[in-house]
Amino acid sequence: MNTTGAADPSPGAALGILKKVFGFDTFRLHQQQVISALLAGEDAFVLMPTGSGKSVCYQIPAMLRDGVGVVISPLIALMQNQVEALRENGVRAAFLNSSLAPEEARAVEARALAREIDLLYVAPERLVTESFQRLLERLPLALFAIDEAHCVSQWGHDFRPEYLQIASVTSRHPGVPRLALTATADGQTRADILQRLEMPGARCFVASFDRPNIIYRVREKHRDRAQLLAFIRSEHPGAAGIVYVRTRRRADDTAEWLQGQGVPALPYHAGLGADVRQRHQQRFLREEGTVMVATIAFGMGIDKPDVRFVAHLDLPGSLEAYYQETGRAGRDGRPADAWMVYSLGDVVAMRQLQARSEGDAAFQDTQRKKLEALLGYAETVACRRQVLLGYFGETAPGACGNCDNCLQPAATWDGTEAARKALSAVYRTGQRFGAGHLVDVLQGNATERIRQLGHHRLKTFGVGRELSRPEWTAVFRQLLATGLLSVDLGSLAGFRLTEASRAVLRGEQAVRLRKEPPRAAPAKKSRDAGAVEEELSLPEDRELWERLRELRLRLARESDRPPFTVFHDRTLKDMVRQRPRTREAFLRVSGVGETKADRYGEAFLAVIAETAGSGEDD
Ligand code: ZN
């Protein structure tokens, strides 16, 4: 019944097809091994990031082995694109899904029976039908490829019940090799995939998830738009980027606001008409320097190589989603930024969302763990790349030197006392208030509300005057993120103690907190301009600042690096303040070490000397 071909072709034939059909001279990592395994009739599991060439792993063996390669894929649009691309390369490929009329489907089946098809793409719903089963019985089969294999797992983020029936189909064809592929699977999902697809003996090929050219940064959110604008202006002026937000409304508003600030931004979300979405996507792909402000609806199948930054103005849904979304930056291998801001409010919203989610206990537990992982990533003071790769079950060789925590080690402080005060304030106010009220209690602000509630008579009233409101907010955010507090579902979003809080309250557990880097200029006049400019009020200061920035951008471009790796804004600001004239003076500027003084000193000193000279003439 199962035809595996008279003689399996040699692996050398695979290289011939790679060159002739796909136009590549060499295989990428793991491709050749996977192909060899399938040609030898073995099952295989492939975990590789998007864009690393997974599909060749089954396309080539399907063409080399006798019979039809059946590719199970859940995404109809992607299926059609892939088949079209294969046909362009002269490959005999077709698909069967709900977009075909019955007579079209019958024509495809007839071609398969006439052995005129090497690759047949099919949606999982169709795979499990009786009529498709009968077709499979009559076809010689080269292999089964199960794309987006994580859909079989309830641990994964994209569970599809039909995937659970795949194993019952493939088990009727023992001896036909199977390949499961995914770009997203943590350790648990991976084990689940192999079990549910009944492929315990599959050879596993796992490519590194590392994207070394992406710099990961996470900041505290306080004025998100102004922060975003300052980031775009100082580091990516004129570059293409994607800004992710959580709601359609925010996508529209943010895009419009950016346009008003001179940034060519467009919204993209499921609430826009198909024609508008199409138009915006085309502009993003074809024009230089367009910034797309999008909800998660944007990005699937987008392969623009020169996206220089992906910014998250809100927390993503999970670390998997974050990895996929940030992975759209820097496909060309050149430096790119993954930049995110988030706040206490975001943590509260995510905690509430998770608590409201429906499903059985196991599902709830998974969701909780996923949120924990996301918040852990956001709050970590360790190398972000290590945390991210660790989540995908990969051990990074060491700290990466290319994330914010590596570039500028985050300071921590002993927050045990502060945590105890905060938790105590939560407890004494009855575990029903949010951060705003609690900070008033801690700082001893005898507001009308505080007096009405009698909270000015509490023992904790005024015990926290040593910290500012933003500092207390950061304390509450971290307590909530690390599970030392939980949050109510009500509209008040009051904080509650957790099991873990008790040990801290009893003084049995120390708490280390992350020190937030100082905020750039406070929003006194709530002007939404780049914060740095606000501080440089003298025209000659502003002129020098602009010229130093130009120089930084030029040097950064020459060496193909992001500007802030030349010098940070605050270093440039310090140059404006100090106006060094000699190398010794230059070395006294904050953020200038020997190496950078050697590399850049001359150029910066020259600009400073010129600008100062013209200033004196005025
Ligand atoms: Zn790092």
Side-chain angles (χ1 to χ4, degrees):
M1 177 113 289
N2 302 288
T3 316
T4 50
D8 279 326
S10 73
L15 192 60
I17 293 198
L18 184 74
K19 177 91 183 102
K20 197 161 147 261
V21 177
F22 298 96
F24 298 117
D25 290 324
T26 50
F27 282 111
R28 291 156 81 177
L29 187 69
H30 296 318
Q31 282 175 336
Q32 191 155 22
Q33 291 91 318
V34 179
I35 291 169
S36 299
L38 289 169
L39 289 179
E42 296 177 80
D43 293 335
F45 169 75
V46 164
L47 174 61
M48 289 185 192
T50 306
S52 57
K54 281 195 296 294
S55 39
V56 163
C57 294
Y58 58 80
Q59 287 166 348
I60 290 181
M63 289 152 74
L64 284 172
R65 283 176 69 94
D66 192 22
V68 177
V70 177
V71 185
I72 301 147
S73 168
L75 303 162
I76 289 181
L78 284 188
M79 188 188 292
Q80 290 169 351
N81 287 346
Q82 269 199 319
V83 167
E84 271 164 35
L86 284 168
R87 284 183 184 154
E88 300 257 303
N89 286 329
V91 180
R92 305 190 305 173
F95 62 82
L96 277 176
N97 63 38
S98 55
S99 73
L100 293 182
E103 63 273 18
E104 290 175 308
R106 273 194 296 277
V108 170
E109 291 178 14
R111 281 174 53 213
L113 288 166
R115 301 206 174 197
E116 288 169 8
I117 288 175
D118 286 320
L119 277 154
L120 180 59
Y121 285 71
V122 58
E125 300 81 8
R126 173 151 326 225
L127 175 83
V128 300
T129 60
E130 267 312 308
S131 65
F132 194 76
Q133 297 303 315
R134 283 195 298 276
L135 178 68
L136 286 185
E137 298 293 334
R138 297 168 63 199
L139 288 176
L141 296 175
L143 55 86
F144 286 107
I146 302 139
D147 209 359
E148 312 287 345
H150 58 275
C151 293
V152 78
S153 171
Q154 298 192 46
W155 297 109
H157 58 87
D158 203 11
F159 174 61
R160 285 167 187 259
E162 315 86 58
Y163 263 64
L164 290 174
Q165 298 177 56
I166 291 177
S168 71
V169 175
T170 57
S171 65
R172 295 197 210 170
H173 305 272
V176 177
R178 292 167 294 171
L179 174 64
L181 311 103
T182 178
T184 163
D186 56 23
Q188 200 165 23
T189 311
R190 213 179 297 177
D192 210 27
I193 291 172
L194 293 176
Q195 196 210 330
R196 287 177 190 275
L197 292 177
E198 297 173 18
M199 297 171 57
R203 292 185 56 189
C204 293
F205 299 91
V206 179
S208 173
F209 272 61
D210 190 16
R211 295 287 311 278
N213 60 315
I214 297 181
I215 301 174
Y216 298 97
R217 281 185 285 171
V218 181
R219 296 293 305 261
E220 190 188 26
K221 169 156 84 184
H222 45 100
R223 289 189 298 149
D224 51 3
R225 289 173 175 180
Q227 287 174 289
L228 174 67
L229 184 65
F231 165 70
I232 293 176
R233 279 189 180 157
S234 66
E235 300 188 27
H236 295 290
I242 306 173
V243 179
Y244 282 106
V245 295
R246 281 196 83 83
T247 65
R248 297 170 181 185
R249 174 85 191 270
R250 233 161 108 65
D252 288 333
D253 291 351
T254 308
E256 194 187 323
W257 185 83
L258 282 173
Q259 284 164 15
Q261 304 293 322
V263 178
L266 296 169
Y268 190 101
H269 54 75
L272 297 170
D275 53 327
V276 177
R277 286 210 304 271
Q278 177 73 13
R279 202 166 62 236
H280 288 185
Q281 181 168 321
Q282 287 305 330
R283 280 185 58 187
F284 177 71
L285 289 174
R286 291 192 187 143
E287 292 172 15
E288 273 196 41
T290 302
V291 174
M292 198 69 115
V293 186
T295 60
I296 52 165
F298 180 71
M300 186 66 106
I302 287 291
D303 200 11
K304 183 175 166 67
D306 58 346
V307 175
R308 292 271 67 84
F309 68 91
V310 169
H312 281 90
L313 278 197
D314 299 312
L315 281 173
S318 65
L319 263 192
E320 284 101 332
Y322 175 77
Y323 180 82
Q324 292 217 332
E325 286 157 14
T326 56
R328 289 170 189 135
R331 291 257 167 99
D332 55 8
R334 296 181 51 219
D337 274 297
W339 181 95
M340 177 164 91
V341 290
Y342 84 113
S343 67
L344 171 65
D346 293 323
V347 182
V348 169
M350 291 294 276
R351 284 261 185 235
Q352 288 191 316
L353 199 68
Q354 181 254 315
R356 267 195 213 107
S357 75
E358 292 176 0
D360 59 19
F363 179 78
Q364 295 264 357
D365 192 47
T366 305
Q367 296 308 106
R368 194 178 47 73
K369 282 187 184 140
K370 282 177 184 290
L371 179 57
E372 233 90 273
L374 176 68
L375 296 177
Y377 171 82
E379 294 288 351
T380 187
V381 293
C383 170
R384 293 204 198 271
R385 196 176 310 273
Q386 280 185 319
V387 175
L388 198 54
L389 293 177
Y391 182 73
F392 290 106
E394 193 175 331
T395 313
C400 74
N402 207 23
C403 70
D404 53 358
N405 288 344
C406 282
L407 289 165
Q408 273 194 311
T412 59
W413 58 292
D414 183 352
T416 312
E417 243 344 272
R420 289 180 69 183
K421 288 175 181 176
L423 296 176
S424 164
V426 169
Y427 181 71
R428 287 175 193 279
T429 51
Q431 309 196 58
R432 57 201 176 94
F433 294 94
H437 184 76
L438 294 167
V439 175
D440 279 336
V441 171
L442 286 161
Q443 291 191 321
N445 302 327
T447 63
E448 190 59 37
R449 187 160 180 236
I450 294 263
R451 270 198 295 268
Q452 276 171 9
L453 292 160
H455 286 173
H456 57 299
R457 288 192 291 272
L458 294 175
K459 248 177 94 181
T460 33
F461 185 74
V463 296
R465 292 195 170 94
E466 72 278 15
L467 296 185
S468 66
R469 181 168 288 271
E471 285 168 330
W472 274 120
T473 308
V475 169
F476 278 109
R477 189 196 74 229
Q478 295 182 66
L479 293 176
L480 190 60
T482 53
L484 288 171
L485 281 177
S486 64
V487 65
D488 260 346
L489 285 184
S491 55
L492 280 175
F495 294 152
R496 289 184 191 207
L497 301 187
T498 65
E499 244 350 275
S501 338
R502 321 250 167 224
V504 175
L505 273 173
R506 285 196 299 263
E508 292 163 7
Q509 194 197 316
V511 179
R512 281 214 80 77
L513 295 175
R514 182 193 177 95
K515 197 175 211 147
E516 302 301 336
R519 292 178 178 185
K524 278 190 206 98
K525 288 169 193 149
S526 78
R527 232 185 62 196
D528 271 333
V532 173
E533 279 89 335
E534 287 177 8
E535 283 180 20
L536 303 169
S537 46
L538 297 173
E540 58 266 34
D541 282 355
R542 292 184 60 91
E543 189 202 336
L544 177 55
W545 162 251
E546 289 302 336
R547 297 196 52 186
L548 292 176
R549 282 190 355 138
E550 276 166 30
L551 173 63
R552 174 176 67 175
L553 190 62
R554 186 162 59 76
L555 292 171
R557 287 208 175 125
E558 277 169 15
S559 56
D560 213 10
R561 305 164 65 99
F564 82 91
T565 61
V566 176
F567 285 126
H568 271 280
D569 279 358
R570 64 182 162 280
T571 300
L572 296 193
K573 238 195 305 179
D574 206 33
M575 282 182 210
V576 174
R577 219 169 5 244
Q578 296 201 31
R579 307 217 171 205
R581 295 299 189 103
T582 62
R583 189 175 186 277
E584 286 65 43
F586 192 66
L587 276 166
R588 283 196 293 273
V589 172
S590 143
V592 178
E594 291 281 345
T595 313
K596 287 199 173 174
D598 289 343
R599 195 179 297 162
Y600 305 120
E602 223 171 296
F604 278 90
L605 285 171
V607 166
I608 293 168
E610 276 170 34
T611 316
S614 69
E616 281 156 18
D617 289 341
D618 281 346

